Amino acid sequence: MSGEAGHQGGDSPETPPRGRRRLTSWLTTRSVARQVFLLQLVLVVLLVAAAVVALVVQARRDTMADARHRTIAAAQSFAHAPGLVRALQNDFPTVELQPLAEGARKAAGIDALIVYELDGITLTHSDPTQLGKHVIGPYAEAAAGRPFTRTFQGALGLSVVSAAPVRDARGDVVAIVSAAVTVEKVQDSLDQQLPVFLGSAAGALGLVALGTGLVSRRLRRQTHGLGPAEMTRMYEHHDAVLHAVREGVLITGRDHRLLLANDEARRLLDLPPDAEGRRVTDLGLDPSLTALLSSDRIATDEVHLAADRLLALNKRVTLPPGGQHGSVVTLRDTTELRSLSGRAEVARERLTLLYDAGVRIGTTLDVVRTAEELAEVASPGFADVATVELLDPVLSGEEPAGAGTELRRTALAGLTEDHPLYPSGELIRFVPGSPVDVSVTEGRSVVVTDLASSTGWRAQDEERARRVLRYGIHALAVVPLRARGVVLGVANFWRSGASPPFTDEDLSFAEELANRAAVSIDNARRYTREHTMAVTLQRSLMPRSLPGDETLDVASRYLPAESGVGGDWFDVIPLPGARVALVVGDVVGHGLHAAATMGRLRIAVHNFSALDLSPDELIWRLDELVALLDVQDEPSEGWGETITGATCLCVVYDSVSGEVAVATAGHLPPAVVRPDGSVDFLESPVSPPLGLGNGMPVETVRTVLPEGSRLVLYTDGLLEDRTRDPDASLAALRDALTGPGRSPEETCAAIIDTMLPTGSGDDVALLVAGLRRMDPDRVAAWDVARDPAAVSPVRNACARKLAEWGLEDIAFGTELILSELITNAVRYGLEPIKVRLLYGSSLVCEVSDGSSTAPYIRRAADTDEGGRGLFLVAQYAEKWGTRYSPRGKTIWAAQATAPGAGPDLDDLGEDDILGQWGDAEL
């Protein structure tokens, strides 16, 4: 506890001392004073460092020069010493010269005094071990009689060496004297001087730093620690406040003297040039304003009178470092604010109304609804009553051929039930000179400030005009609705009661509102035209009636999408052999492209069905066709869409056998309602949509359905619902179909009521077919042996069957057809050979064999022995063709069974018939 108490009064152990904190804070503050101090300190450090380096270099240079001078002086002095030549001539010169050289070395203060003979033998040396040794050095110059000084590496180390020649009495060089001082000794001498240099530099640096710190401290006090950016910004702000800002600023100090007044304050208060420094009571201001400026009261948006101006004043008190408070006052001129506030409020309301117009007008692509939205937006926000009149072609989606004066009133807003204006939907013929006539024909806006005095407006309908005036309507603004340079109609804005007449600003707003609405009306018009064209195209491409006979009962529904016409379609195509093809497809998208694509696919299916193709081959060929069309359509300009994304389902029903063959390309499976009311889906192998098969084979699902079953084909729009998943939609469809005893029409109604009670976002195609079998008594079949003798018995059996059916009228032609077809099958075909007669709406003769040879028709020449068979078949049959199966082919010929049907045999002479009768060749 005592430790804690004792520690409370001091700094934390981890907290630096207060003096260091202040120094650190001062050093880390990016103020002008700090930057000046650091700049001066850096300059002084650089100058002192440069001076120290210069002194050291100079001292080194002087020391080396002194070493050279001492060595050369010592060498020359000893070389000219008396008795040196005599001593060199002795037998043992070293004995006499060594003591003399050592004495001279010590007296000269050098490291070595060496005497060399000309051959480099050392006679004297400061190191006795070097005596008598041969030394190689740069003495050639001295041997030549010229003294020199060098610095080189010798026996004593790196040294400054000077050499001088020794001459005898005749002037010949007899020896060399060398004096040396080591560089290390020179450096020692310099090191002894370096502390003096550094001490002097440190002292100078300290004195300069102290002086710089004092100057910086004073500067910091005067700049309040501001940095360069702050000072620059403060100057810019000060300049802006003084000269640029459009609000008056006054700063008062002690004794309520005016310290600063900017240009705007001088203008607003009409201050004299010498106002700064004077008391506010001496400025001649309004008494209330003077009382406020000379008091300590705070004010917020107070309005004071200054001459003829109303000034809004704000005042705040300041506390400068001196302790005596001052004040800051801001002034702004509010004289025009009151007049502008009303206009600003009106402008704000108009902008809000334009924003509402952008949101509320054009929410649908319906021309009438868009016109009603314009009237609803304008009334009552802008006008008391608003009406819209459009040209009749606009309402039908067409573009007006010209500006006419017959307009149909399309929308009204702001009126009571007993209003006197023309009702909505009435076609109005505006008379020449009326405001609407002028606006439409001249394409400009017309304002009538007083309807009572407007002869042109009253001339339209004098009696109605009086009732309108009694209703209280007194002003009118007519604005043309123009889009892309075409006048679509007019918008009439009416004011009644106490509302003022329309001004130029009101007219500008009305034109802006009308221009925005005109664009939306034009968009709706163009959509209406495109939608009408798409509907017309689709209706022309869809089947107008569905074929039905005793084996098939068909009902259908087509529901267009809410957003427009789509590409869903269905078809029922009768096929030979008592068969029928049920086809349903879906093209992705809506509009003209989807409808046109649907027509192309439907025509292609009809063409492929005419070839009597199987469902899988028909889908495969359709896939190839779509892929080819996609490639051909891709580079075309302005038509970037392709067919890719279309699906198709083909079901072929054989009423003789009850077999159903199903092939699909990305489509939903058909539903089967059996006679007992149970529901199944004929699931087929998954296959891609049309155009994406890449030549892959298509699989076919075959099954036999009992008589009384119902086939249900549909598109995905029937199942698409955002509130449930696909499995739930299929379950709902199963529930809607479950139940026996319904006709196809009742089935269609039940499906629509259950699946689409409120409409669909996508178009829906629905096809329901009730299946029945062909009466077995109307079917006859025979097996034929591959023997020419077997032709006659089969022909006779067919003749008897025709007589049984009461078809004697066409018996001759039928026998001729059968005889030719059976004969050619026996002669050119393969077993098994079968003959079948089908008596329905027409009589169909079928001859099947195991060969896949393709027959063709031609006209035989006079010299040909055959080749007339198919020509005769084509003459007597209404239609004929060939279909292929995995086990061969079937050649069929259909004949009408109505009385008088078939070719007129009287037109063919007996010779012609006999001439063409013969062996036919396929």
Side-chain angles (χ1 to χ4, degrees), residues 31 174 205 275 339 466 497 529 540 587 590 665 673 681 744 782 803 837:
S31 63
V174 295
L205 181 61
S339 61
R466 285 194 292 268
R529 181 184 61 182
S540 66
V587 178
H590 299 87
V673 184
F681 290 95
W782 297 270
L837 295 180

Side-chain angles (χ1 to χ4, degrees), residues 316-327:
R316 295 294 182 269
V317 177
T318 63
L319 289 175
Q324 294 188 6
H325 65 78
S327 63

Side-chain angles (χ1 to χ4, degrees), residues 203-367:
L205 181 61
L207 291 175
V208 173
L210 179 61
T212 303
L214 294 175
V215 174
S216 300
R217 182 180 180 185
R218 183 173 182 83
L219 180 62
R220 181 168 59 88
R221 288 181 178 179
Q222 293 180 350
T223 60
H224 299 283
L226 296 176
E230 288 83 356
M231 292 191 67
T232 302
R233 186 163 55 250
M234 182 181 66
Y235 173 77
E236 293 174 349
H237 291 176
H238 182 267
D239 185 70
V241 169
L242 284 179
H243 307 296
V245 72
R246 302 310 300 168
E247 189 172 71
V249 178
L250 298 175
I251 299 178
T252 61
R254 62 186 64 182
D255 300 330
H256 303 293
R257 292 184 180 273
L258 183 62
L259 300 180
L260 182 143
N262 68 347
D263 295 347
E264 184 67 10
R266 291 177 181 275
R267 185 185 69 83
L268 294 176
L269 299 177
D270 196 17
L271 296 177
D274 59 345
E276 294 181 354
R278 298 169 59 180
R279 293 178 181 273
V280 295
T281 55
D282 300 335
L283 297 178
L285 302 177
D286 185 84
S288 64
L289 181 59
T290 301
L292 177 61
L293 295 179
S294 59
S295 68
D296 297 335
R297 185 168 58 87
I298 296 175
T300 302
D301 288 337
E302 289 188 6
V303 179
H304 291 266
L305 182 64
D308 58 346
R309 296 186 179 93
L310 290 176
L311 303 180
L313 184 144
N314 291 274
K315 180 183 176 183
R316 295 294 182 269
V317 177
T318 63
L319 289 175
Q324 294 188 6
H325 65 78
S327 63
V328 177
V329 180
T330 60
L331 308 165
R332 67 178 184 275
D333 191 355
T334 62
T335 306
E336 299 180 1
L337 288 181
R338 295 189 177 182
S339 61
L340 291 176
S341 60
R343 297 171 62 186
E345 180 65 22
V346 172
R348 186 188 65 79
E349 293 177 355
R350 297 289 169 80
L351 289 175
T352 303
L353 190 59
L354 284 178
Y355 173 78
D356 292 341
V359 174
R360 295 171 56 185
I361 298 177
T363 58
T364 66
L365 290 174
D366 181 78
V367 175

Side-chain angles (χ1 to χ4, degrees), residues 7-18:
H7 187 62
Q8 289 176 358
D11 294 336
S12 172
E14 299 179 358
T15 305
R18 185 176 304 169

Side-chain angles (χ1 to χ4, degrees), residues 99-122:
L100 296 175
E102 283 296 305
R105 180 187 66 80
K106 293 178 180 179
I110 59 179
D111 293 325
L113 186 63
I114 308 168
V115 179
Y116 299 100
E117 291 183 346
L118 295 178
D119 57 359
I121 300 301
T122 305

Side-chain angles (χ1 to χ4, degrees), residues 811-835:
F812 177 79
T814 302
E815 291 182 27
L816 177 61
I817 291 172
L818 288 174
S819 178
E820 292 300 327
L821 296 181
I822 297 173
T823 300
N824 281 284
V826 170
R827 179 174 298 179
Y828 303 109
L830 299 176
E831 292 183 339
I833 301 174
K834 296 181 179 295
V835 176

Side-chain angles (χ1 to χ4, degrees), residues 578-862:
R579 296 173 304 127
V580 64
L582 306 174
V583 186
V584 66
D586 186 4
V587 178
V588 176
H590 299 87
L592 286 175
H593 173 72
T597 301
M598 178 269 291
R600 298 168 78 180
L601 293 182
R602 182 169 178 259
I603 292 173
V605 169
H606 270 270
N607 290 335
F608 291 144
S609 298
L611 300 177
D612 209 351
L613 302 177
S614 61
D616 54 345
E617 188 173 358
L618 186 147
I619 294 295
W620 180 73
R621 291 184 180 274
L622 195 63
D623 177 78
E624 282 192 330
L625 175 64
V626 170
L628 178 61
L629 292 177
D630 282 345
V631 174
Q632 293 176 348
D633 290 346
E634 189 174 19
S636 60
E637 298 181 358
W639 190 265
E641 298 177 89
T642 58
I643 306 179
T644 302
T647 63
C648 184
L649 172 68
C650 180
V651 179
V652 174
Y653 171 62
D654 189 340
S655 61
V656 177
S657 63
E659 183 184 63
V660 172
V662 181
T664 180
H667 203 83
L668 295 171
V672 176
V673 184
R674 300 187 182 275
D676 59 358
S678 62
V679 179
D680 294 326
F681 290 95
L682 296 180
E683 298 286 350
S684 58
V686 178
S687 59
L690 295 174
L692 303 177
N694 296 325
M696 297 297 293
V698 180
E699 298 187 37
T700 301
V701 174
R702 298 181 184 273
T703 185
V704 176
L705 297 181
E707 186 173 7
S709 300
R710 283 167 286 159
L711 266 176
V712 181
L713 285 70
Y714 51 91
T715 57
D716 57 359
L718 186 67
L719 303 181
E720 289 183 355
D721 191 338
R722 296 180 180 178
T723 62
R724 60 193 178 197
D725 57 25
D727 293 337
S729 298
L730 285 175
L733 178 60
R734 184 188 298 271
D735 294 340
L737 292 174
T738 301
R742 292 180 184 170
S743 66
E745 281 291 340
E746 294 172 343
T747 303
C748 285
I751 292 174
I752 297 301
D753 293 341
T754 303
M755 304 298 296
L756 304 173
T758 59
S760 173
D762 193 7
D763 49 340
V764 177
L766 176 63
L767 182 64
V768 179
L771 307 182
R772 292 190 291 269
R773 294 286 183 89
M774 193 172 185
D775 188 353
D777 294 337
R778 296 294 187 94
V779 180
W782 297 270
D783 292 329
V784 181
R786 193 180 180 190
D787 184 357
V791 176
S792 179
V794 174
R795 186 172 61 236
N796 295 333
C798 292
R800 291 191 296 271
K801 197 64 177 177
L802 292 176
E804 180 182 340
W805 288 339
L807 300 177
E808 292 86 353
D809 292 344
I810 60 173
F812 177 79
T814 302
E815 291 182 27
L816 177 61
I817 291 172
L818 288 174
S819 178
E820 292 300 327
L821 296 181
I822 297 173
T823 300
N824 281 284
V826 170
R827 179 174 298 179
Y828 303 109
L830 299 176
E831 292 183 339
I833 301 174
K834 296 181 179 295
V835 176
R836 188 173 68 164
L837 295 180
L838 303 176
Y839 178 28
S841 58
S842 63
L843 177 66
V844 179
C845 305
E846 296 181 346
V847 176
S848 305
D849 67 85
S851 172
S852 59
T853 303
Y856 62 94
I857 188 172
R858 65 187 179 90
R859 183 178 293 275
D862 295 338

